[in-house]
Amino acid sequence: MKFSESWLRSFVDPVCSGRDFSHLLTMAGLEVEEEQAVAPAFSKVVVGHVLAVDKHPDADRVRVCRVDVGSGKALTIVCGAPNAAAGIKVPCALPGAELPGGFKIKVSKVRGVESFGMLCSARELGIAEDSDGLLLLTADAPVGEDIRRHLDLDDRLLTLKLTPNRADCLSLEGVAREVAALTGTPARLLDVEDAAVTISTQRAVVLDAPEACPRYCGRVIAGVDARATTPAWMQRRLARSGIRPISALVDITNYVMLEVGQPLHAFDNSRLEGAVHARMARPAEKITLLNEQTVEVQTDVLLIADDQRPVAMAGIMGDEASGITLATTEVFLESAFFAPKAIAGRTRRYGFVSDASHRFERGVDFGGTRRALERATRLVLDICGGRAGPVSEALSNLPERRPVRVRPARVSRILGLQLTAERIGELFIRLGLPFFREGEDFIVTPPSYRFDIEIEEDLIEEIVRLHGYENVPSPAPRAILSMLPQTEETRPVSRIRHLLAECDYQEVINFAFVEEAWEADFAGNERPIRLANPIASQLSVMRSTLIGGLVANVASNLRRKQNRIRLFETGRCFFRDAQSGPVAGFHQPWKVTALAYGTALPEQWGCSARHVDFFDVKGDLERLLLPLAATFVKAVHPALHPGRSARVLVAGKAIGFVGELHPQWQQKYELPLAPVLFELDLDPVSMARLPHYTEVSRQPTVIRDLAIVVDHALELKPLLDALAAHCPAIVRDIRLFDVYVGHGVEAGKKSLAFRIVMQDTQKTLLEAEVDAAMQQLVAYLQQAFAAKLRV
């Protein structure tokens, strides 16, 4: 809602101004989103009357003007504007004036003729971006008056960012009521009298859809002059409210809409046939709107129609064929109340919006429908002339305004401050809310323009809003607090996050609601948990994996030319589970997911560049789990490459997956390289082993290497696990350090070389003991895995 402060002050003129006034509105819930001056600073510009215009002796396109500026002596001013003419009144900058942009006016010669000022355009005064010539003033403009005062250029423009429930403030009267309630300043609302009926011409009105249009008023005004000029004051107020003046009849309907909040529409009465109907659209019915858009309306769209055809989308926009033109001499003026549900969403369906629909879908004062018609009639008669006919009105069941009970005790409990019943009653009176007392309680009946008041909490909000949020005390909370236990067997989430940050990952936080396609692609979840009211159509389901958000983060970073990306996130995932979880029917475990993309190391000279691979991320995972030891088993996951992924186990229990993104999703999400990622349950990651004592041997270690040949299909993990379980007591560590396939190794076989570390805690090992241990290992390998010593 945009308007000028001076227009608002014609309704209510509080003492506060400027920033204080904007702050007052904002703190009351009418947020002032923007405030700006109508014109930039300039000085010494007055109303000038051009007495005579002569041709410049040395320039064809320049004129020499004689201008009266109210000083008693006409000034000679050289002007090149094409519309300079004798008899006009225009802004005149006197010598010494400073215009916007620091441009100073002084006496100077223009092609040999001395000029004592400058005649100004709207652009030169900073009140318009473009202009075709001098800014023409009205004939009654007082000569010599300061132009800032004459055009009210010290005015401010305010733009309110209203919440959808405050439709009553989509008008100057509505905002004025609020300001009057907030400041205690009396409001001077319009005193609208019924227009005199001087003709009997009348058009019947029929409500064929009374639920959608319970009230419709119309009036014929004959003998109007559609070519009449809109008064300058009305044009100025419309322009400062962001509405372009068009013609007198259109401007009047827009002006009344801004003034009282009731959208109106003017039809050319000669183009209507028979009665006016408010009805629902028929199948395949079409209408060409004033914006020249032809639409096929669906059957849930409310139309205004005559006996032959539709003439308007009700509460949205009129059709082109019945619109007024400069040749119109007889007008049918419409003022109606349309139910918000009958208008809401219709304009967005057809790809446009209108000021009328913006108001109707939020709720218009159904008690002021006829009052707005009478106000518009008065303005039409005053500006365009004509004769008014009687009002045709059709009325059905208007919205019921149910009384709301307000209990002072509940007000105090919710707001946390003590307000007396007298104070509450005073606030209701200032808000214009009629009430009566029933014991200690207030029974309040919301007025017809307040669609947002339905329950007790709505009125409690009104009380605190008017009392002032700044006046609500904010005492520090008091409670008995105790420290939660933090045992050595667990690690806090903050420590896990720091560990990942130390591994060069950056934390991200994504929405818990995601695209449905992500669930199918990355989790194989064909039955995700759907949101009843998503904040966006694509964010319609709850996530069961964090992978989708990280992949989207990678894509976003790639669009910004980042080539090395390492991200992690901790957050809840959501599963259907009727047996567990704090919310019945759902399980909400925490997970930790990390993803690496691009080069393994930042750009540097110390080593050649290479892309991150499975083993880089596997190493980060193992570091995160320490001191727990993870094992990895080849497995398939919907999000991961089937040959480059593994299930992560700790103490034999699966806790997550690690692997490279599936090539199908890499291509679908347009990633040049395949990211490598892991996702783990957070609870097992949070576990830590208690430290325990182990004797450190002071005896020397003995190291032997053992190379064996085994089947190529044999996996390393089972072999290492078996050796660890059957090795002699003096063996401390067995590590693979080489895998060889090729010359010297028969086909279908591979050579594995292990480093065996042996040590005793009490004595130095003898050669015989070492040889015996090695022979025991070789014998076991030959027996269990058909291994052969490589020679």
Side-chain angles (χ1 to χ4, degrees):
M1 175 65 183
K2 183 178 181 180
F3 57 90
S4 69
E5 186 177 344
S6 64
W7 190 7
L8 176 63
R9 288 185 179 275
S10 68
F11 288 98
V12 59
D13 192 10
V15 176
C16 61
S17 61
R19 293 284 184 180
D20 293 338
F21 185 60
S22 300
H23 180 73
L24 176 72
L25 291 174
T26 298
M27 293 306 297
L30 309 182
E31 180 185 352
V32 179
E33 184 179 27
E34 184 180 2
E35 51 182 316
Q36 62 186 97
V38 169
F42 60 82
S43 60
K44 298 190 72 174
V45 181
V46 299
V47 176
H49 183 203
V50 180
L51 302 176
V53 176
D54 299 317
K55 184 179 177 298
H56 193 287
D58 294 329
D60 293 337
R61 298 185 179 180
V62 180
R63 296 172 177 81
V64 179
C65 304
R66 299 283 294 171
V67 183
D68 179 12
V69 294
S71 62
K73 179 181 178 182
L75 302 180
T76 299
I77 298 177
V78 178
C79 177
N83 62 338
I88 63 174
K89 291 183 177 180
V90 295
C92 179
L94 303 176
E98 184 171 350
L99 299 184
F103 183 64
K104 296 182 179 180
I105 304 299
K106 58 185 178 180
V107 178
S108 60
K109 285 189 176 182
V110 180
R111 299 243 181 144
V113 177
E114 201 165 28
S115 180
F116 294 87
M118 186 178 82
L119 304 184
C120 301
S121 66
R123 183 177 61 83
E124 289 161 339
L125 296 180
I127 58 179
E129 294 183 1
D130 298 306
S131 60
D132 297 328
L134 300 176
L135 175 61
L136 302 180
L137 305 176
T138 57
D140 59 353
V143 176
E145 183 179 31
D146 186 279
I147 200 70
R148 297 194 73 89
R149 179 178 178 183
H150 178 69
L151 296 180
D152 194 19
L153 297 182
D154 291 322
D155 193 7
R156 289 195 313 149
L157 302 182
L158 301 179
T159 302
L160 301 185
K161 186 178 181 181
L162 297 173
T163 52
N165 64 315
R166 293 310 308 269
D168 59 301
C169 290
L170 287 169
S171 67
L172 270 296
E173 277 198 343
V175 178
R177 281 193 295 261
E178 283 293 303
V179 174
L182 293 168
T183 62
T185 307
R188 301 181 295 273
L189 303 184
L190 294 171
D191 185 12
V192 180
E193 297 181 358
D194 291 351
V197 177
T198 56
I199 59 173
S200 60
T201 307
Q202 191 172 14
R203 189 171 293 279
V205 174
V206 181
L207 300 182
D208 295 322
E211 298 82 7
C213 177
R215 187 173 194 179
Y216 191 99
C217 300
R219 157 179 278 159
V220 175
I221 306 177
V224 299
D225 178 12
R227 299 181 182 273
T229 302
T230 304
W233 57 267
M234 182 179 288
Q235 291 191 44
R236 188 181 308 137
R237 287 178 172 177
L238 287 173
R240 292 180 183 180
S241 298
I243 295 180
R244 179 175 61 88
I246 299 174
S247 65
L249 291 171
V250 174
D251 293 345
I252 288 170
T253 58
N254 285 332
Y255 183 81
V256 174
M257 177 185 69
L258 293 174
E259 198 174 42
V260 302
Q262 170 69 53
L264 305 168
H265 187 69
F267 297 97
D268 188 325
N269 192 53
S270 65
R271 299 185 178 188
L272 301 179
E273 300 288 342
V276 173
H277 298 260
R279 63 171 174 81
M280 305 308 293
R282 295 163 184 161
E285 199 163 21
K286 294 184 178 181
I287 183 172
T288 301
L289 302 172
L290 289 172
N291 61 3
E292 300 181 353
Q293 179 179 348
T294 299
V295 297
E296 181 176 323
V297 290
Q298 299 178 15
T299 55
D300 64 342
V301 174
L302 182 66
L303 297 179
I304 303 301
D306 60 15
D307 288 341
Q308 302 297 323
R309 58 185 175 80
V311 295
M313 287 178 69
I316 297 174
M317 189 177 294
D319 88 322
E320 192 174 24
S322 64
I324 57 174
T325 66
L326 295 179
T328 299
T329 59
E330 193 170 83
V331 171
F332 180 74
L333 197 59
E334 167 198 278
S335 178
F337 171 73
F338 303 115
K341 290 183 179 180
I343 307 299
R346 305 307 192 273
T347 56
R348 289 180 288 278
R349 179 189 301 171
Y350 298 105
F352 65 90
V353 294
S354 68
D355 290 324
S357 65
H358 183 76
R359 287 164 171 79
F360 276 123
E361 67 185 6
R362 286 161 172 77
V364 169
D365 179 12
F366 56 84
T369 306
R370 182 158 182 165
R371 176 173 177 263
L373 181 64
E374 296 291 353
R375 171 61 173 165
T377 301
R378 184 73 269 161
L379 290 173
V380 170
L381 297 178
D382 291 344
I383 297 171
C384 302
R387 303 176 304 279
V391 174
S392 300
E393 181 173 10
L395 189 64
S396 183
N397 296 323
L398 293 173
E400 183 182 356
R401 310 309 289 153
R402 293 186 177 89
V404 180
R405 181 181 297 272
V406 180
R407 296 162 289 177
R410 182 166 174 77
V411 172
S412 299
R413 186 169 71 254
I414 289 180
L415 299 183
L417 62 125
Q418 296 297 321
L419 292 177
T420 64
E422 290 73 19
R423 173 61 173 166
I424 294 174
E426 175 196 341
L427 297 179
F428 285 155
I429 292 172
R430 285 168 57 182
L431 286 165
L433 301 177
F435 67 88
F436 65 88
R437 299 293 298 275
E438 191 175 277
E440 291 295 321
D441 299 346
F442 291 82
I443 310 299
V444 181
T445 302
S448 57
Y449 53 83
R450 290 302 298 269
F451 280 77
D452 59 316
I453 298 178
E454 295 181 343
I455 59 176
E456 184 177 22
E457 283 72 12
D458 294 332
L459 286 168
I460 294 175
E461 181 183 7
E462 291 298 295
I463 292 170
V464 68
R465 195 171 59 81
L466 200 60
H467 179 75
Y469 292 110
E470 295 169 311
N471 298 323
V472 176
S474 53
R478 292 183 298 174
I480 299 174
L481 302 178
S482 60
M483 293 185 66
L484 296 176
Q486 181 66 58
T487 66
E488 293 183 76
E489 293 180 331
T490 59
R491 295 184 293 180
V493 177
S494 60
R495 177 56 185 152
I496 295 170
R497 292 161 54 209
H498 279 92
L499 284 171
L500 286 167
E502 291 168 5
C503 293
D504 204 19
Y505 291 86
Q506 298 188 45
E507 185 175 16
V508 297
I509 300 175
N510 292 307
F511 284 128
F513 22 86
V514 298
E515 296 184 29
E516 187 171 354
W518 292 2
E519 281 297 292
D521 293 347
F522 302 122
N525 186 3
E526 300 297 338
R527 190 170 165 262
I529 300 171
R530 297 188 180 278
L531 292 166
N533 186 25
I535 63 170
S537 58
Q538 73 275 18
L539 305 178
S540 58
V541 300
M542 300 302 293
R543 67 188 179 190
S544 62
T545 176
L546 306 181
I547 297 175
L550 295 185
V551 171
N553 297 147
V554 170
S556 177
N557 276 272
L558 289 176
R559 289 193 292 270
R560 288 155 180 81
K561 308 303 180 184
Q562 301 298 312
N563 56 13
R564 183 175 185 271
I565 306 161
R566 299 170 76 87
L567 306 171
F568 81 91
E569 181 177 11
T570 59
R572 287 192 183 276
C573 292
F574 302 85
F575 300 88
R576 299 181 185 277
D577 186 353
Q579 304 301 321
S580 61
V583 179
F586 300 99
H587 181 44
Q588 306 174 47
W590 281 81
K591 290 185 179 289
V592 55
T593 305
L595 178 149
Y597 177 94
T599 56
L601 298 171
E603 187 175 359
Q604 58 174 289
W605 59 267
C607 60
S608 58
R610 65 174 181 82
H611 297 309
V612 68
D613 60 21
F614 176 92
F615 297 100
D616 293 315
V617 176
K618 176 174 174 285
D620 294 335
L621 188 156
E622 289 175 325
R623 178 179 176 185
L624 175 66
L625 290 175
L626 284 175
L628 302 177
T631 56
F632 301 88
V633 178
K634 184 170 66 174
V636 177
H637 187 277
L640 303 180
H641 192 300
R644 302 177 185 176
S645 60
R647 182 180 290 109
V648 183
L649 295 90
V650 172
K653 181 181 179 182
I655 66 168
F657 282 86
V658 60
E660 186 178 291
L661 189 68
H662 197 292
Q664 181 180 355
W665 312 137
Q666 177 189 346
Q667 181 179 10
K668 177 177 179 179
Y669 294 96
E670 300 179 352
L671 305 180
L673 302 173
V676 185
L677 57 95
F678 65 79
E679 180 167 86
L680 308 174
D681 295 332
L682 189 61
D683 287 344
V685 178
S686 301
M687 301 306 295
R689 289 178 180 172
L690 287 175
H692 61 279
Y693 172 76
T694 300
E695 182 181 0
V696 178
S697 176
R698 298 186 180 185
Q699 307 304 320
T701 59
V702 177
I703 298 176
R704 292 285 188 273
D705 291 343
L706 174 64
I708 60 174
V709 176
V710 296
D711 288 339
H712 193 278
L714 180 63
E715 295 183 359
L716 175 65
K717 181 62 179 172
L719 189 149
L720 287 175
D721 290 343
L723 282 176
H726 295 84
C727 65
I730 63 173
V731 176
R732 294 286 178 260
D733 189 24
I734 302 175
R735 293 185 183 181
L736 177 75
F737 69 85
D738 182 59
V739 178
Y740 174 74
V741 176
H743 181 71
V745 177
E746 62 183 287
K749 302 290 185 177
K750 61 183 175 182
S751 170
L752 303 179
F754 298 93
R755 179 147 295 167
I756 315 297
V757 179
M758 291 171 280
Q759 186 182 39
D760 193 282
T761 60
Q762 304 298 324
K763 63 179 180 177
T764 301
L765 293 174
L766 300 175
E767 189 71 22
E769 293 176 310
V770 172
D771 291 341
M774 292 298 294
Q775 290 174 6
Q776 183 177 341
L777 288 174
V778 170
Y780 176 75
L781 289 169
Q782 290 173 340
Q783 177 185 356
F785 298 98
K788 297 180 181 179
L789 284 174
R790 182 181 171 195
V791 295

